Every structure is written in structure tokens, then in C-alpha cells.
Amino acid sequence: MNSAAYVLQLDNVERHYQQGENILSVLGGANLALRPGETVALVAPSGAGKSTLLHIAGLLERPDGGEVYVNGRASGSLSDEQRTAMRRSDIGFVYQFHHLLPEFTALENIMMPQMIAGLSHEEAAVRARQLLDYMRIGARADHRPSELSGGEQQRVAIARSVANAPLVLMADEPTGNLDPATAGYVFEALEALVRQSGLAALIATHNHEIASLMDRRITLQDGQVVEMVAEQA
């Protein structure tokens, strides 16, 4: 497999947990590769290991075996500080709960990761406004999270996750708390952002309708990543 063609690659990844005297194997030699600009749905029942896979792929957790490559660079031998730096520059995260800072406006929430990365206040504000406009909520820039609807909050969270122009976006049930119509609208905005920016997105979801709109669907079976075949009409 040519790792240069992928922005994210999991090679024979293993993850085990000790449960009393027993060992629970969640991932056993899992393989996955994401190309720039593609959306991949991760569909699996609760307890199958979706969050574990996302955490390992996003460098939040170390595997017990195998390797994770981000833009062709192996992460296994990196220090915690180097992994944090790689996460900050190359990987964005969106969760089921928006986790926006309540005391700051939508604009300020998106500016913050950029300023942590070293951008000036002015540069961060310009990019934050561009992202809010792209997500069609530019008029809500000066509103705090409590003044936004659920769909607006999640679109701000998505904008924040890509503020530093990552290569890969990890999303864990990003529309799970939204009604079907709002979920569809938020996913459309997310997908447009992926296409426009060229980043790759790995999206865990229970929503099969949304999953069917993505480029590929994968699931977890016996610790392995398995491609799901599209259902025939």
C-alpha cells in the first residue's frame, strides 16, 4: 500500500483492554486508509470499538500494536509532545456534543485554536468569519453558544475543528443530537467543507441515511475494519 497516496493510514492496529483476569480485544490487526477529499462513514453497533478506532486514528490513544501514519509520517515512535503537535496541525475533531466554550462568541470559539497555533488576532478573526460565512451562519458570529440553535452550535463546532486547516477530520456522531432535518443540513455543510478543502473525513454515525451519502462505508467486525457493500435499489 502506497502510504504517500493517503492522509491517514492504520496498519495492522491492535488495541486490548484488561478486564479483571481477562483481556478484551477491541481491535485486532485493523487496517484503514483515507484519501484526501473523501468522506468515510464508520457504522457499527455500540461497543464494537468505533470510539477506540477514532481515538487511535486521531492520536488521542496509542495502539498496542501496529502503526498509524498521518500524511505518510509514522506516529508510533513520537513523543507525547510531538503527537500533540501533529494532532493540533493535522487533525480536527467534532463530537456529538459541541463542546464550545460558553463564555465566548461563535467567532471567538473559532479564533481560539488559531491563536494557540500562533496566528494573530486579526488573522484568526478573518479566517473565523470566512468559515462562519461558509457554514451559512455568518450573521451569528457575535452570539454565544447558548444563543444558538443545536444545528448552529454544531456548525460552529465543525468550523472550529477545521480552523487550522487539518488534513483529517474525525467526527463522532456529529449529528446524533439533532432532529433529522437539521442533521441533514449540518451534514451537507460538513460535506461541502470537506470537498472544498480537500481534507479527509472519518465520521462515526448511527444514521444510515447520512452514511449512505458518503463515499464509503466501513464497519467493525471481530476487531477488523470491513468495507460495507452499498445496498442495491
Side-chain angles (χ1 to χ4, degrees):
M1 187 178 287
N2 178 17
S3 62
Y6 304 101
V7 290
L8 176 70
Q9 187 179 347
L10 274 62
D11 184 17
N12 238 10
V13 164
E14 298 182 5
R15 189 69 173 102
H16 315 290
Y17 296 97
Q18 189 81 34
Q19 285 192 335
E21 297 180 354
N22 300 317
I23 294 178
L24 174 64
S25 180
V26 178
L27 299 176
N31 296 289
L32 175 65
L34 269 66
R35 294 180 174 84
E38 75 169 339
T39 56
V40 177
L42 173 56
V43 183
S46 297
K50 295 193 303 297
S51 294
T52 297
L53 183 69
L54 285 173
H55 288 170
I56 289 176
L59 308 186
L60 291 171
E61 197 174 317
R62 290 183 184 268
D64 295 312
E67 185 60 275
V68 178
Y69 298 88
V70 179
N71 205 27
R73 183 185 180 192
S75 62
S77 62
L78 299 180
S79 67
D80 288 343
E81 291 77 13
Q82 289 172 318
R83 287 166 64 87
T84 297
M86 181 180 280
R87 227 174 19 244
R88 186 178 296 143
S89 63
D90 295 341
I91 302 171
F93 293 91
V94 181
Y95 298 97
Q96 183 172 349
F97 300 99
H98 58 77
H99 296 300
L100 298 173
L101 297 172
E103 65 271 29
F104 295 101
T105 65
L107 185 75
E108 290 166 342
N109 266 280
I110 301 170
M111 290 172 59
M112 203 160 300
Q114 300 178 73
M115 294 175 69
I116 291 172
L119 265 68
S120 69
H121 186 279
E122 291 74 18
E123 291 172 317
V126 168
R127 171 138 174 93
R129 288 194 183 279
Q130 289 173 341
L131 285 168
L132 285 169
D133 286 341
Y134 194 82
M135 299 299 285
R136 303 184 200 174
I137 46 172
R140 312 291 278 170
D142 297 325
H143 290 67
R144 289 182 171 81
S146 61
E147 301 170 315
L148 303 174
S149 69
E152 289 169 341
Q153 290 169 346
Q154 203 64 329
R155 277 181 278 166
V156 174
I158 291 168
R160 180 184 59 183
S161 73
V162 300
N164 287 335
L167 300 172
V168 186
L169 178 66
M170 304 287 174
D172 195 355
E173 297 288 348
T175 62
N177 282 338
L178 306 175
D179 64 79
T182 304
Y185 190 79
V186 168
F187 176 74
E188 285 178 9
L190 172 58
E191 185 179 43
L193 195 59
V194 169
R195 305 297 184 209
Q196 183 270 339
S197 62
L199 62 82
L202 178 60
I203 304 172
T205 180
H206 282 105
N207 189 321
H208 288 270
E209 184 176 345
I210 284 178
S212 69
L213 300 174
M214 299 189 215
D215 297 319
R216 289 192 288 137
R217 292 184 301 155
I218 60 173
T219 189
L220 289 167
Q221 292 180 2
D222 300 323
Q224 302 281 323
V225 174
V226 179
E227 295 278 343
M228 297 176 69
V229 180
E231 296 179 1
Q232 298 298 317

